[in-house]
Amino acid sequence: MKDILRRHQILREEIVNILNKQVQIEAQSAANYLAMAAWCDVRGYDNSAEFYFKQSDEERKHQLKLFHYLADMECDAISPAIEEPQHEFTTLRSVFERALEMEIAVTDAIHNVVRECRKHGDIATEEFMRWYVQEQIEEEYVARRCLELFDVLGEDKIALGMFEERVLGIEYEGD
Amino acid sequence: MTEIEIEPEVSNIFSTNNTALYQCDRSESFILKFFEEHISFKIGELQAIRKKIRNIDLAQLFKSGTPDIEILNVPQCDRIFVLSILEILELKELFSGAFVMLELNSVIHREILRK
C-alpha cells in the first residue's frame, strides 16, 4: 500500500497549524506598522513614517514567505483575518515602545514554531525557520536602538528633530 | 457526488459498522463509504473533512433547545451532509482509526520499506 500520507502531505498537521498562526501574526504586524506609519505621517514625523512603511512591507514579505512555504509543501495556507490595529498613540516614543513589544512577541512566536518543529522532528521546517530567528535578532536590535536614541536625545522638539534625522540610518551590522 | 466502484486493488484502511475508508494506490485517492454511498477524496480534501468532523462539538448537540443534527458542507463532492449524533460518532471513530492506520503505514514505509 502506497504511503500517500507522506507522498502528498509533507508537513504534520501541528506544524501546518502553527505556521498558519505565524502567518496571522506577521499579517497583524504588517497592519500594526501601517497604523503607526499613518500616525507618524500626519504629525509631521516623515522619516519615522517611512521607517514604519518599510517595516510594514517587511512584515508582509515575512508573511508571504511562510505562506509560499505552506503552499509549496501542499498544505492549506490560510489567508488570515486580522484585528483592528492600534491607531492612537500618546507620543512618538510610545509608538517605538509598542514596536519593540510587538517584535518581542513575534520573536517568542518564532521560537515556539522552532520548538514545535523539534518536538515533531521536522528538520526541514526548522531549517526554514532559521532565517526568521536571525531576522528577529535584527528586528529587535533596531527597535531597541530606536528607544535608546530617545534615551540619549530626550523628547523635546529639537531632540525629536534629531531623532527624525537619525531613524532611517539605524541598521543591524551583525558583525 | 462521485459514485465509485470499489476495485480489487483498493485497500481497506479502517471500517466501522456503516462507514469505511479505502485507499486507491492507482489514483492516489481515498474512498469514503458512508452507508450506501462511496465518495472519492484527495488527501488534502480528506484532511479538511476530518478537521470538520473533529471540530463538531458533541456536547453542544446534546444540549436541549438545539437541533441534534449537524450540517456539513463538503464542497469537494458538491454535497451537504446532514448528520445525526450517531453518524457523527461513527465518522469520528472512522477518521481517528483511519489516520492512525495511515500514520502506521507511513512509519512502516519510513522504518522498513525505504531503508
Side-chain angles (χ1 to χ4, degrees):
Chain A
M1 191 171 101
K2 272 186 186 173
D3 184 6
I4 295 181
L5 208 59
R6 178 66 183 84
R7 285 167 71 92
H8 291 280
Q9 189 211 345
I10 301 151
L11 304 181
R12 289 181 65 94
E13 196 183 352
E14 295 89 341
I15 301 293
V16 175
N17 290 344
I18 202 163
L19 288 181
N20 269 318
K21 196 173 153 197
Q22 196 58 40
V23 167
Q24 197 276 337
I25 291 169
E26 302 289 350
Q28 187 70 56
S29 296
N32 291 351
Y33 278 135
L34 208 54
M36 290 173 179
W39 188 92
C40 294
D41 204 30
V42 295
R43 281 157 187 83
Y45 302 121
D46 289 351
N47 288 349
S48 296
E50 194 182 331
F51 176 85
Y52 283 120
F53 278 123
K54 279 184 184 163
Q55 285 294 107
S56 180
D57 284 347
E58 284 279 307
E59 299 304 319
R60 165 90 176 152
K61 281 179 195 158
H62 295 175
Q63 179 201 345
L64 286 183
K65 194 175 163 80
L66 281 162
F67 204 84
H68 284 299
Y69 179 72
L70 280 164
D72 290 346
M73 298 298 117
E74 290 194 36
C75 300
D76 281 334
I78 311 285
S79 182
I82 51 166
E83 290 170 16
E84 175 88 15
Q86 181 181 341
H87 281 98
E88 290 175 5
F89 302 90
T90 47
T91 59
L92 186 61
R93 182 183 177 122
S94 73
V95 178
F96 283 86
E97 291 274 6
R98 173 84 185 102
L100 177 61
E101 286 301 317
M102 270 169 46
E103 288 303 338
I104 291 170
V106 172
T107 304
D108 289 347
I110 296 279
H111 291 180
N112 279 340
V113 177
V114 175
R115 277 187 208 102
E116 194 72 5
C117 292
R118 287 183 182 166
K119 189 174 145 193
H120 296 288
D122 189 338
I123 296 165
T125 308
E126 186 182 337
E127 195 61 27
F128 170 76
M129 292 307 294
R130 187 185 290 267
W131 181 86
Y132 285 87
V133 174
Q134 292 297 321
E135 190 71 9
Q136 278 313 116
I137 294 172
E138 185 181 323
E139 300 278 4
E140 273 197 35
Y141 172 86
V142 171
R144 254 186 220 102
R145 286 292 295 155
C146 290
L147 285 176
E148 282 164 11
L149 260 185
F150 281 109
D151 292 341
V152 172
L153 299 170
E155 286 184 70
D156 59 29
K157 284 194 173 179
I158 295 169
L160 290 178
M162 290 168 77
F163 178 86
E164 272 282 284
E165 283 171 11
R166 287 165 172 76
V167 67
L168 290 175
I170 299 172
E171 280 177 4
Y172 179 63
E173 301 292 339
D175 49 35
Chain B
M1 187 179 69
T2 321
E3 291 291 343
I4 301 284
E5 281 280 312
I6 305 291
E7 293 174 22
E9 73 263 28
V10 170
S11 321
N12 183 348
I13 297 169
F14 197 82
S15 303
T16 65
N17 286 343
N18 301 300
T19 67
L21 193 72
Y22 302 92
Q23 172 173 319
C24 175
D25 278 358
R26 188 168 45 79
S27 60
E28 296 204 1
S29 62
F30 296 89
I31 299 146
L32 171 70
K33 174 182 172 283
F34 183 67
F35 290 83
E36 300 310 314
E37 290 178 52
H38 293 94
I39 306 156
S40 175
F41 293 99
K42 289 290 180 190
I43 180 75
E45 299 165 349
L46 192 75
Q47 296 270 25
I49 190 169
R50 173 204 187 197
K51 209 171 189 176
K52 283 182 183 173
I53 298 282
R54 203 174 45 195
N55 288 344
I56 296 174
D57 183 0
L58 279 173
Q60 189 65 32
L61 294 182
F62 280 114
K63 279 183 187 166
S64 59
T66 52
D68 53 358
I69 53 157
E70 183 77 21
I71 298 170
L72 196 72
N73 180 24
V74 185
Q76 295 87 351
C77 59
D78 194 19
R79 169 77 204 266
I80 290 175
F81 289 94
V82 180
L83 301 170
S84 69
I85 289 175
L86 279 176
E87 288 167 343
I88 294 165
L89 281 170
E90 205 160 338
L91 282 173
K92 276 180 185 275
E93 186 191 344
L94 175 78
F95 279 105
S96 11
F99 272 86
V100 167
M101 289 302 142
L102 288 173
E103 278 170 25
L104 178 63
N105 185 41
S106 275
V107 172
I108 292 168
H109 273 264
R110 186 173 65 242
E111 299 299 331
I112 302 168
L113 301 178
R114 279 199 290 266
K115 277 194 174 173

